[in-house]
Amino acid sequence: GAVVSQHPSRVICKSGTSVKIECRSLDFQATTMFWYRQFPKKSLMLMATSNEGSKATYEQGVEKDKFLINHASLTLSTLTVTSAHPEDSSFYICSAFLAGGTDTQYFGPGTRLTVL
Amino acid sequence: EDQVTQSPEALRLQEGESSSLNCSYTVSGLRGLFWYRQDPGKGPEFLFTLYSAGEEKEKERLKATLTKKESFLHITAPKPEDSATYLCAVPNNAGNMLTFGGGTRLMVKP
């Protein structure tokens, strides 16, 4: 149980285009999901907290207009990288929070974004 | 502010050579300590949650222990497939946001 999926797993796009990444909790409902960014050989950096039915909370230094987050249902959150530039190339990982009991974050497999 | 420090940053072991990874933490009130395993190009995989000092949990060759200031991940007779980055994390007061350590990259040579 507690499976989180992400789609796509890899995406290559041209500079200036927008890219949408989906994060789904497959076998549980998650009122809270999180989006992380990870640079090579570094730990996870929290970008934003996504709450179902309300606006996302962004960490300091993360541009909310560039990284649009929507949490439309209890099993789906999306991250849209708008007007992507090469410096946005990174590994993006989502997690879904399973509340009650162990209160554990379960992570998706990640999405590798490359902006040319 | 919660702080989590992992050591060593990298650890090379021969197959069968047991060792331990350390996770030191400073929190206002511990609501649990999480261990994850991350393979290259993948998301972290949940391993254990520990809640109180003295607690231990095991999974195959891994055993996690917890004291009031640190946690250890003991790896007994590791195999090459245990090679990965191991992350520890503590939740915030609300219990839903994690502060991660920098991770320990474990490499097990056959």
Side-chain angles (χ1 to χ4, degrees):
Chain A
V3 179
V4 178
S5 69
Q6 267 183 256
H7 179 80
S9 57
R10 290 177 179 271
V11 57
I12 301 172
C13 68
K14 293 182 178 179
S15 187
T17 61
S18 294
V19 174
K20 180 186 283 189
I21 303 170
E22 291 188 349
C23 177
R24 294 181 185 272
S25 55
L26 298 185
D27 50 3
F28 65 100
Q29 294 183 330
T31 55
T32 305
M33 291 185 174
F34 300 89
W35 287 95
Y36 295 83
R37 185 172 179 176
Q38 189 174 36
F39 293 100
K41 296 187 178 181
K42 297 294 184 182
S43 193
L44 286 76
M45 182 183 77
L46 180 65
M47 298 175 64
T49 303
S50 170
N51 293 299
E52 188 265 338
S54 63
K55 290 184 177 180
T57 303
Y58 291 81
E59 295 300 300
Q60 193 172 8
V62 178
E63 298 176 61
K64 58 181 68 176
D65 293 331
K66 166 167 274 298
F67 299 101
L68 300 179
I69 291 171
N70 183 273
H71 193 153
S73 77
L74 289 172
T75 59
L76 173 64
S77 176
T78 60
L79 169 68
T80 301
V81 183
T82 62
S83 187
H85 290 284
E87 58 265 30
D88 298 324
S89 298
S90 193
F91 191 54
Y92 293 89
I93 309 173
C94 72
S95 71
F97 180 66
L98 178 55
T102 59
D103 286 350
T104 300
Q105 279 192 40
Y106 292 93
F107 287 82
T111 296
R112 172 72 60 192
L113 171 63
T114 303
V115 185
L116 302 177
Chain B
E1 184 180 328
D2 297 343
Q3 290 190 337
V4 182
T5 304
Q6 290 187 247
S7 62
E9 288 187 12
L11 180 62
R12 292 177 181 265
L13 298 174
Q14 286 296 127
E15 184 172 2
E17 180 186 3
S18 302
S19 188
S20 297
L21 283 54
N22 177 265
C23 172
S24 304
Y25 60 88
T26 304
V27 297
S28 55
L30 186 64
R31 292 179 53 90
L33 186 139
F34 295 83
W35 281 99
Y36 291 86
R37 168 189 170 134
Q38 186 177 23
D39 291 296
K42 304 286 186 183
E45 173 192 348
F46 171 70
L47 292 174
F48 306 109
T49 311
L50 301 168
Y51 290 102
S52 57
E55 188 175 0
E56 298 183 353
K57 287 193 176 172
E58 288 188 63
K59 180 179 181 179
E60 296 181 358
R61 293 175 293 281
L62 301 176
K63 183 168 79 172
T65 61
L66 183 66
T67 72
K68 290 184 178 179
K69 294 184 178 181
E70 57 192 349
S71 177
F72 292 94
L73 185 64
H74 306 277
I75 302 177
T76 302
K79 297 182 178 182
E81 52 262 42
D82 295 321
S83 298
T85 296
Y86 291 87
L87 299 164
C88 69
V90 295
N92 63 352
N93 286 336
N96 61 355
M97 289 179 63
L98 293 174
T99 298
F100 280 91
T104 294
R105 189 155 47 94
L106 175 66
M107 294 155 281
V108 182
K109 301 261 183 195

